[in-house]
């Protein structure tokens, strides 16, 4: 509002009066300038048109019946040159049909001669309001265009017919599109990535009762480029006032850098955990050799000292099992509200007394968090999820079981692949990236462990993670 007023104060509306009758021109001039408008006069069509070619007017008062170039010719030219100018045709009673014809050709309103100053004021102020609204829309559009073009994020909009309505330079760059104008062409000309195409297709096929946002992490890049970038892709349909799907908006944000930092951190942590395990085991083994007297006699005092040192090392190692137990509890607590919201019973079986494993707490939290989140996501309401741990010969085995959708046999091997997601009617609107399980697998393997799944379609799944005991 403030902005609009200030623009109006800065530039008073400019009105051109084209009429061959001097008395009309001068009458209009007086009324309009009194109203604070800038009024400019032209005595015939030719002169008027010349002025219109040179300047922009907010409103034109145009006499239809003039000798020479007719008002109709001027009208058509104005519409072509300045579609946002409002035209009011001035006409005599006898030519009412002409006024209607003028309206059909884009005139905003008409005012029959003779008219009073008040009639003129009313019709002009209506026209100014109309022009103002058109200007606001045009300004808003131009502001949006500049903003979208400046964004580092890729933005693309399609209509319901799958045609591109807008694509900013960042989006074109990400897609490696070097062709001509893409506007009005099918989005598949611009987007070659199949997963992204599928996302847009599913957003377009959403019906009014389920217009939701889809989010995925995809690696997208130019064909033939070795190093692809990872993007968070958000795609959502937009609707008209009666909720009909009008098209989609897709936004890409580059998260390659974050992924790299994350990966480096977890590689480092895994490496440290891994590197500590063997020397610790070796220290323990060597101390045992000394303690058992295999390296010569050990006095009672020396035995006690060695005993205390072993305890400390054991304590350090066993701390990790404690942490694992705590991590499981934390994760079950963390996911509890989401499970409850879906009517799912999420339970942690108490951990039995276990020999120590050496694991990184943060990593294990990530493993459990992913498995529990998946169990909740892929279990329709009223199910049950159990997190448990039990010892096996040389391993600690943690399991996360659910009574959810289950996984078909042909998908079982593939769900640990990057970006693989089971696609069917039931999983269609479950949002995910297909990156959870591959990350879980790489963490487990960095701890010398293994992960596997047992599942029956429609009955549920159990994911097992097995990590070796520290002293094995
Ligand atoms: P996301 O869940 O983000 O799609 P994941 O890598 O975590 O990615 O999982 C890959 C796929 O494995 C999922 O898309 C889903 O189809 C399937 N899946 C994972 N966990 C379960 C589960 N507990 N029950 C049924 N299907 C699952």
């Amino acid at each position: 509002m403030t902005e609009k007023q200030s623009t109006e104060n800065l530039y008073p509306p400019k009105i051109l009066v084209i009429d061959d009758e001097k008395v009309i021109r001068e009458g209009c001039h007086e009324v309009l300038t009194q109203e604070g408008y800038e009024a400019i006069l032209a005595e015939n069509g030719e002169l008027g048109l010349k002025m219109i070619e040179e300047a922009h007017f907010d409103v034109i008062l145009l006499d239809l019946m003039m000798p020479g170039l007719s008002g109709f010719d001027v009208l058509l030219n104005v519409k072509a040159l300045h579609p946002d100018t409002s035209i009011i045709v001035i006409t005599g009673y006898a030519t009412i049909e002409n006024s209607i014809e003028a309206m059909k050709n884009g005139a905003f309103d008409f005012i029959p001669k003779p008219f009073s100053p008040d009639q003129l004021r009313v019709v002009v102020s209506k026209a100014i309001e109309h022009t103002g609204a058109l200007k606001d829309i045009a300004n808003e559009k131009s502001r949006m265009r500049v903003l979208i073009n400046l964004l580092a994020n890729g933005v693309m909009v399609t209509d319901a017919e799958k045609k591109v309505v807008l694509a900013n330079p960042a989006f074109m760059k990400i897609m490696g599109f070097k062709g001509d104008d893409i506007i009005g062409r099918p989005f598949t000309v611009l987007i070659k990535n199949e997963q992204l195409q599928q996302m847009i297709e599913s957003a377009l096929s959403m019906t009014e009762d389920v217009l939701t946002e889809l989010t995925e992490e995809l690696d997208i890049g130019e064909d033939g480029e070795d190093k692809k970038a990872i993007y968070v892709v958000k795609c959502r349909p937009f609707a008209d006032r009666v909720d009909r799907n009008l098209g989609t908006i897709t936004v890409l944000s580059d998260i390659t850098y974050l992924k790299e930092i994350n990966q480096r951190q977890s590689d480092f942590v895994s490496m440290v955990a891994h590197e500590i395990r063997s020397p610790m085991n070796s220290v323990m083994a060597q101390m045992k050799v000394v303690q058992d007297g295999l390296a010569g006699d050990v006095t009672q005092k020396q035995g006690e000292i060695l005993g205390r040192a072993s305890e400390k090392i054991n304590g350090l190692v066993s701390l990790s099992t404690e942490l694992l137990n705590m991590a499981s509890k934390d994760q079950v607590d963390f996911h509890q509200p989401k499970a409850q919201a879906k009517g799912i019973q999420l339970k942690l079986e108490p951990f039995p007394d276990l020999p120590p494993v050496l694991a990184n707490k943060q990593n294990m939290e990530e493993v459990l968090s992913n498995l529990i989140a998946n169990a909740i996501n892929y279990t329709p309401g009223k199910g049950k999820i159990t997190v448990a741990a039990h010892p096996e010969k040389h391993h600690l085995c943690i399991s996360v079981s659910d009574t959810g959708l289950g996984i078909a046999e042909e998908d079982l091997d593939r769900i640990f692949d990057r970006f693989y997601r089971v696609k069917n009617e039931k999983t269609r609107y479950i949002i995910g990236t297909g990156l959870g399980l591959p990350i879980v697998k790489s963490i487990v393997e960095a701890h010398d462990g293994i992960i596997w799944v047992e599942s029956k379609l429609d009955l549920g799944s159990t994911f097992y993670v097995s990590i070796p005991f520290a002293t094995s």
Side-chain angles (χ1 to χ4, degrees):
M1 202 60 202
T2 335
E3 184 189 345
K4 193 174 152 206
Q5 277 165 354
S6 68
T7 321
E8 271 173 12
N9 291 342
L10 216 56
Y11 307 110
K14 221 167 145 179
I15 301 174
L16 176 64
V17 183
I18 312 176
D19 199 307
D20 58 334
E21 276 185 70
K22 192 168 179 222
V23 42
I24 298 267
R25 284 199 307 275
E26 287 179 350
C28 286
H29 186 269
E30 196 181 330
V31 174
L32 295 175
T33 42
Q34 267 170 10
E35 288 297 301
Y37 304 137
E38 182 184 348
I40 292 159
L41 309 177
E43 64 209 49
N44 58 48
E46 286 81 0
L47 197 61
L49 200 55
K50 203 162 162 268
M51 291 175 169
I52 291 161
E53 277 164 8
E54 283 164 9
H56 179 271
F57 295 91
D58 297 292
V59 176
I60 298 175
L61 282 154
L62 175 65
D63 186 8
L64 274 189
M65 294 301 159
M66 290 179 291
L69 192 65
S70 84
F72 274 108
D73 296 325
V74 178
L75 175 66
L76 295 176
N77 273 296
V78 176
K79 280 287 130 196
L81 286 169
H82 302 289
D84 56 341
T85 296
S86 297
I87 299 165
I88 300 165
V89 295
I90 306 173
T91 173
Y93 283 122
T95 54
I96 197 91
E97 288 84 14
N98 280 340
S99 336
I100 293 168
E101 194 55 33
M103 298 280 283
K104 282 191 195 154
N105 280 301
F108 172 72
D109 207 344
F110 63 94
I111 180 165
K113 280 186 206 173
F115 48 82
S116 68
D118 268 347
Q119 282 173 314
L120 179 66
R121 273 187 212 107
V122 169
V123 73
V124 167
S125 102
K126 253 188 353 183
I128 299 264
E129 220 173 90
H130 176 69
T131 317
L134 290 181
K135 258 200 226 163
D136 283 350
I137 295 172
N139 288 349
E140 190 57 39
K141 264 176 108 175
S142 119
R143 201 169 14 212
M144 276 300 252
R145 205 172 308 123
V146 173
L147 195 133
I148 290 170
N149 283 346
L150 282 178
L151 279 181
N153 290 354
V155 180
M156 189 213 49
V157 182
T158 71
D159 61 14
E161 261 87 56
K162 308 184 182 184
K163 294 204 187 89
V164 178
V165 180
L166 179 156
N168 73 348
F171 196 94
M172 310 272 247
K173 186 157 181 268
I174 296 165
M175 292 300 140
F177 186 80
K178 298 194 182 78
D180 294 337
D181 200 8
I182 188 66
I183 306 303
R185 297 168 73 189
F187 74 81
T188 42
V189 175
L190 176 59
I191 299 170
K192 297 294 173 209
N193 181 290
E194 273 178 29
Q195 284 163 305
L196 186 49
Q197 286 181 354
Q198 269 173 23
M199 270 180 91
I200 297 171
E201 292 280 357
S202 23
L204 279 170
S205 67
M206 286 179 191
T207 45
E208 61 236 54
D209 43 329
V210 271
L211 291 175
T212 53
E213 181 176 284
L214 301 173
T215 309
E216 303 223 12
E217 273 180 30
L218 299 180
D219 68 29
I220 304 173
E222 287 182 42
D223 277 350
E225 247 186 35
D226 288 348
K227 200 162 172 275
K228 289 191 170 183
I230 300 182
Y231 291 88
V232 169
V233 181
K234 284 181 187 283
C235 179
R236 69 170 309 150
F238 58 94
D240 62 7
R241 287 185 189 190
V242 286
D243 280 347
R244 278 173 309 201
N245 192 332
L246 289 183
T248 57
I249 301 180
T250 305
V251 179
L252 307 180
S253 325
D254 190 343
I255 53 157
T256 319
Y257 185 59
L258 288 177
K259 281 275 158 191
E260 271 170 14
I261 293 178
N262 209 359
Q263 184 63 42
R264 258 184 248 156
Q265 262 177 2
S266 89
D267 284 353
F268 178 73
V269 170
S270 305
M271 189 265 290
V272 171
H274 195 78
E275 292 299 305
I276 285 176
R277 185 204 313 264
S278 1
M280 265 209 202
N281 282 340
S282 150
V283 169
M284 295 265 282
Q286 290 177 51
M287 278 171 62
K288 190 147 179 23
V289 169
V290 179
Q291 262 178 313
D292 289 352
L294 299 176
D297 288 345
V298 180
T299 65
Q300 197 196 341
K301 189 83 196 148
Q302 287 167 337
E304 279 168 17
I305 294 170
L306 285 173
R308 279 202 298 277
S310 303
E311 261 169 40
K312 289 277 179 233
I313 294 184
N314 243 331
L316 199 62
V317 178
S318 59
L319 201 63
S320 52
T321 310
E322 282 285 298
L323 290 178
L324 206 57
N325 199 352
M326 270 166 54
S328 311
K329 275 201 194 93
D330 284 354
Q331 287 308 315
V332 167
D333 288 349
F334 178 76
H335 289 280
Q336 202 59 263
K338 205 175 163 201
Q340 272 169 7
K342 278 184 85 179
I344 296 172
Q345 193 192 337
L346 168 59
K347 199 169 96 209
L348 174 70
E349 299 264 321
F351 270 43
D353 267 348
L354 297 164
V357 295
L358 191 59
N360 172 266
K361 185 181 176 226
Q362 233 176 337
N363 280 181
M364 284 302 127
E365 272 175 351
E366 197 171 347
V367 166
L368 286 157
S369 176
N370 268 296
L371 295 180
I372 298 172
N374 275 353
I376 296 174
N377 269 342
Y378 299 100
T379 299
K382 308 261 178 303
K384 203 172 142 192
I385 298 169
T386 312
V387 181
H390 65 271
E392 290 197 334
K393 209 166 166 203
H394 299 293
H395 289 82
L396 165 65
C397 185
I398 304 168
S399 60
V400 179
S401 319
D402 65 59
T403 55
L405 298 179
I407 303 159
E409 195 150 348
E410 64 267 23
D411 290 314
L412 280 180
D413 285 345
R414 305 196 54 195
I415 54 170
F416 295 101
D417 293 348
R418 271 158 68 87
F419 300 119
Y420 187 78
R421 306 197 65 220
V422 176
K423 295 260 151 92
N424 59 36
E425 262 315 298
K426 287 184 182 152
T427 59
R428 197 161 154 205
Y429 293 118
I430 301 178
I431 290 167
T433 60
L435 279 174
L437 289 178
I439 289 175
V440 167
K441 189 172 180 218
S442 80
I443 294 176
V444 172
E445 287 176 352
H447 285 79
D448 284 343
I450 46 172
I451 176 165
W452 72 99
V453 56
E454 286 168 7
S455 184
K456 282 237 153 44
L457 202 56
D458 297 330
L459 290 180
S461 318
T462 303
F463 283 81
Y464 296 95
V465 168
S466 167
I467 310 258
F469 289 128
T471 46
S472 66

